[in-house]
Amino acid sequence: MFVPHSHDAADSVDGALASSAAGIRAVKISLLVLGITALIQVAIVVVSGSVALAADTIHNFSDALTTVPLWIAFALGAKPPSRRFTYGYGRVEDLAGVFVVAMITLSAIVAGYEAITRMIHPQVIDHVGWVALAGLVGFVGNEWVAVYRIRIGRQIGSAALVADGIHARTDGFTSLAVLLGAGGVALGFPLADPIIGLVITVAILAVLRTAIRDVFVRLLDGIDPVVLARAEQVLATQAGVRAVHRVRMRWLGHRLHADAELDVDPGLSLAQAHQIAHDAEHELMHAVPKLATALIHAYPADNPSSNAAANRRTHAHSPRPHAHEHV
């Protein structure tokens, strides 16, 4: 579903636009669900009169608004490249992921601070039943959004959307702490609330580690070695390719970009070398999911006994003619 069925440039652009539209749709739906969840909690606040619960509801409202930068990022990512931004605006999505990671970090700090404060200065929880109900509503709403965002984020290859799903999950954990803490208080164990709060803080830190890894690997142009190995294998098995010299890949937002250097028979004409590069690019686009562009260079293979091969592998600017295919 997410690999273009043609090697034509227009089809790659259509695939990128479709995935950006899917990301925007995921943001809209999740924002709607979180808004409904927060409104239900507001109703419970009005009925119960709980000030603590009101503060938690305000927190949920503010967290729901963190989807706005991601929405903007997807919208910008759908714009075509310009003379200034020749690779497009996909990197904005990765920057939005940094913002999401910062929000998860803030959630962990707030949760830990509140848990320690309540352990040192225990507080009486009023309207335990209503508080427990609000915690249940918050957990169900946030967990549904988390599952949805993570699923769509993985489908379209968006580390930022996956991180935002993890953010929703951390908020769900906080609501779960409210629910479990209220249950412990109802059973006559007042310290259940801060203890569970500390446990939830540790859980948030665990998922924060995953979010940081995924987002910052993207920012550093990191790529899954399995994907790289797949690309190398596809290129090496193409007719006319003697060797795969180098393959580089990077993410810009939720789309992959690749360039590769292939060694071909030095006796081939320029047109024949170009055709080999074209065919290799065609197969690569079909074999690697979420690949938006590929730049394939076809160089004449050197005699292994000569020093020319070593020189080409050492110096990036080779004077030798080559054919390339770029889609």
Side-chain angles (χ1 to χ4, degrees):
M1 291 175 61
F2 303 98
V3 183
H5 292 286
S6 169
H7 56 280
D8 187 84
D11 292 323
S12 297
V13 172
D14 289 344
L17 290 175
S19 56
S20 294
I24 292 175
R25 184 169 59 252
V27 169
K28 288 180 179 178
I29 293 175
S30 59
L31 184 59
L32 176 63
V33 173
L34 288 178
I36 293 173
T37 300
L39 287 175
I40 294 174
Q41 288 184 314
V42 167
I44 296 175
V45 167
V46 172
V47 173
S48 66
S50 172
V51 176
L53 184 56
D56 186 62
T57 302
I58 293 172
H59 170 74
N60 287 335
F61 263 119
S62 62
D63 282 349
L65 294 178
T66 61
T67 59
V68 173
L70 197 55
W71 188 341
I72 296 173
F74 280 122
L76 286 176
K79 294 179 61 177
S82 66
R83 295 282 294 177
R84 180 178 295 274
F85 300 99
T86 55
Y87 282 95
Y89 300 85
R91 189 64 76 194
V92 178
E93 184 179 325
D94 299 320
L95 294 177
V98 175
F99 176 78
V100 172
V101 166
M103 292 300 99
I104 298 175
T105 304
L106 182 61
S107 295
I109 293 173
V110 172
Y113 175 80
E114 289 293 331
I116 293 174
T117 300
R118 291 186 182 185
M119 187 168 289
I120 297 175
H121 306 288
Q123 299 179 10
V124 177
I125 299 180
D126 299 320
H127 311 287
V128 174
W130 288 111
V131 171
L133 178 60
L136 178 61
V137 170
F139 172 71
V140 171
N142 279 287
E143 181 60 21
W144 186 92
V145 167
V147 172
Y148 179 63
R149 284 178 180 169
I150 292 172
R151 177 169 60 84
I152 299 299
R154 287 174 177 168
Q155 285 179 351
I156 67 175
S158 174
L161 187 56
V162 171
D164 207 27
I166 292 175
H167 181 211
R169 178 157 288 163
T170 61
D171 291 339
F173 285 165
T174 303
S175 296
L176 184 62
V178 171
L179 173 62
L180 297 177
V185 172
L187 294 175
F189 185 46
L191 286 179
D193 183 41
I195 291 175
I196 292 174
L198 287 176
V199 174
I200 295 300
T201 301
V202 174
I204 294 175
L205 291 175
V207 297
L208 174 62
R209 175 181 176 274
T210 300
I212 290 175
R213 180 197 63 196
D214 293 345
V215 169
F216 281 91
V217 163
R218 291 289 180 91
L219 285 174
L220 294 175
D221 288 335
I223 187 73
D224 186 349
V226 175
V227 176
L228 186 64
R230 173 60 178 161
E232 292 171 338
Q233 179 186 24
V234 169
L235 294 172
T237 56
Q238 298 307 302
V241 176
R242 286 193 175 184
V244 177
H245 170 45
R246 181 174 63 179
V247 179
R248 293 186 296 181
M249 306 179 79
R250 67 191 302 196
W251 287 94
L252 288 177
H254 54 274
R255 305 301 292 173
L256 267 173
H257 301 264
D259 67 82
E261 297 179 9
L262 309 178
D263 287 342
V264 300
D265 187 343
L268 295 177
S269 67
L270 182 61
Q272 290 172 321
H274 174 82
Q275 187 61 47
I276 290 174
H278 177 84
D279 294 341
E281 177 272 330
H282 172 80
E283 294 300 322
L284 189 63
M285 294 290 290
H286 279 271
V288 179
K290 308 173 186 69
L291 183 62
T293 63
L295 179 63
I296 309 296
H297 303 266
Y299 290 94
D302 292 307
N303 186 335
S305 62
S306 70
N307 292 327
N311 289 336
R312 179 164 70 86
R313 283 156 176 74
T314 304
H315 302 287
H317 299 89
S318 172
R320 299 186 303 156
H322 67 278
H324 69 272
E325 176 69 19
H326 181 203
V327 171

